[in-house]
Amino acid sequence: SKVPSCGTSHNSRLWLSTDCCGCVMGVTTWALVIYAVVVVTNIIVAWKGLQTFEGAAMEGILLSLAGLCLMSHARAMLTDPGAVPLGARPLPEREEQERAPAGDPKMYKSWCVRCSNYKPPRAHHDSGTGRCVSKMDHFCPWVNNCVGVLNHKFFLLFLLYIFLISMYSLGLVGARAYSCASAQTLKAPPPPPPTGRRRRMRHDDSLVIKVLEAFFDSNECQLGVPVFFLIMEGLLFSLFTFAMMCDQYSVVTTGVAGIDRRKGVAPSRNDLTHEVFGGSPNFKWSWLWPSHPDFGKHRDTILGFLPPRDDGHEAV
């Protein structure tokens, strides 16, 4: 039979969920990040000028964050999250207790009837990809993929860099609006002495009003509706990703994924950060780079299964 070029089946060449909603949201994510880069570059960074050191530094930080964000998103979307291959076997220490009794059509007691395959501990069937995924947390439509043990790091980095680029863009917009409003206030003639009700009212030329006017005065401040939408985007995604990172902190440190937590699985007393980032639980700068985690000799233990007898360990 013909091998599919992309998909989530056992023999797909490229891992990619073909869920229609997920594909749309994945493309939307890239479009929103590119929109933020274009608006900040053409309106905010242009305030300092790319030919200046300050402007070049602003643009360099912006492009670095955007690049890391999109790289993390692409890897979270295109990486096998830890799908259990056909013919997977229990770990040696669980072989006897998992083996089904004689006469049982299922090979093992832990069996997925939808996959017709062994179901390792902490693995769950994901309807979005149609596969059992080791340490499945949830299906994220923004990355159009299930979040599991092998792409959890990329998902976390995607959240981190979306949060950072959102806060960075908001900071630059705030600095530009404040600078512009301050300049307009200095140029404006002094207001007449307040009388009567004007003593109790804020003057129309106050700094707050000038900041608001800056967004819709493209001639003076080079802001406008695009920057207004950028602010809405930045506020929405910074709050959303911050909440998600807080939720994911317990998942990373305890090893209990979202589904297991809802089922009442007790958290581990040990720090299981290495099951996400690889190596030791101690922080390394390599954690911030969207590279595949290196589980070394503990790979099978972390996945919870052995590969099929006729297959070697596949590169992730």
Side-chain angles (χ1 to χ4, degrees):
S1 60
K2 185 178 179 180
V3 177
S5 57
C6 64
T8 58
S9 62
H10 295 275
N11 57 350
S12 297
R13 295 178 181 175
L14 173 68
W15 181 276
L16 176 64
S17 173
T18 54
D19 177 74
C20 181
C21 178
C23 290
V24 170
M25 295 189 72
V27 172
T28 301
T29 301
W30 277 64
L32 290 173
V33 173
I34 294 173
Y35 172 81
V37 171
V38 171
V39 172
V40 172
T41 299
N42 293 331
I43 298 180
I44 307 302
V45 176
W47 158 44
K48 294 293 184 181
L50 284 174
Q51 70 277 7
T52 65
F53 174 79
E54 192 173 358
M58 287 180 178
E59 184 70 5
I61 295 173
L62 175 69
L63 294 179
S64 297
L65 290 176
L68 288 168
C69 173
L70 294 179
M71 285 175 61
S72 301
H73 181 273
R75 291 213 151 180
M77 181 171 60
L78 300 176
T79 297
D80 179 346
V84 182
L86 283 176
R89 299 169 290 143
L91 297 174
E93 60 269 22
R94 297 182 59 87
E95 179 73 29
E96 290 300 324
Q97 66 184 83
E98 287 285 4
R99 188 165 297 281
D104 193 323
K106 298 179 294 185
M107 292 181 62
Y108 302 102
K109 295 177 183 177
S110 298
W111 190 260
C112 178
V113 294
R114 285 177 284 186
C115 292
S116 298
N117 196 29
Y118 171 61
K119 187 177 182 180
R122 300 193 299 174
H124 302 280
H125 187 86
D126 172 46
S127 57
T129 58
R131 301 283 297 277
C132 280
V133 176
S134 181
K135 285 191 65 180
M136 172 186 170
D137 188 69
H138 68 288
F139 184 92
C140 177
W142 290 104
V143 299
N144 188 31
N145 200 1
C146 175
V147 178
V149 64
L150 296 183
N151 70 342
H152 203 163
K153 174 186 176 180
F154 304 135
F155 175 71
L156 293 175
L157 291 180
F158 168 66
L159 294 178
L160 173 64
Y161 290 123
I162 281 286
F163 175 77
L164 291 178
I165 196 173
S166 297
M167 296 302 296
Y168 181 68
S169 299
L170 291 173
L172 290 182
V173 171
R176 177 69 181 105
Y178 180 83
S179 173
C180 181
S182 299
Q184 285 189 348
T185 301
L186 292 174
K187 286 193 240 179
T195 59
R197 290 185 59 192
R198 292 175 64 87
R199 291 182 182 274
R200 300 189 299 272
M201 297 176 62
R202 179 173 295 180
H203 197 272
D204 291 342
D205 290 332
S206 67
L207 186 59
V208 174
I209 298 300
K210 289 295 184 182
V211 170
L212 294 176
E213 290 177 347
F215 290 106
F216 303 101
D217 188 356
S218 58
N219 293 327
E220 291 292 333
C221 296
Q222 298 182 348
L223 302 179
V225 176
V227 176
F228 179 78
F229 281 113
L230 175 66
I231 293 175
M232 296 298 102
E233 177 188 346
L235 289 174
L236 174 65
F237 282 100
S238 59
L239 292 173
F240 174 73
T241 52
F242 180 76
M244 284 294 296
M245 286 190 292
C246 291
D247 176 74
Q248 288 293 308
Y249 176 78
S250 63
V251 177
V252 173
T253 55
T254 64
V256 179
I259 295 179
D260 291 327
R261 185 171 51 190
R262 290 190 290 271
K263 290 183 176 181
V265 176
S268 171
R269 295 182 179 180
N270 300 320
D271 187 352
L272 299 180
T273 310
H274 65 284
E275 292 194 0
V276 175
F277 295 98
S280 67
N282 300 321
F283 173 78
K284 296 179 180 179
W285 288 107
S286 60
W287 289 7
L288 301 179
W289 181 256
S291 59
H292 290 287
D294 182 13
F295 298 124
K297 63 181 181 180
H298 302 292
R299 176 185 169 87
D300 292 338
T301 303
I302 292 174
L303 288 173
F305 61 85
L306 294 177
R309 296 185 186 279
D310 55 343
D311 278 350
H313 288 72
E314 296 180 357
V316 180

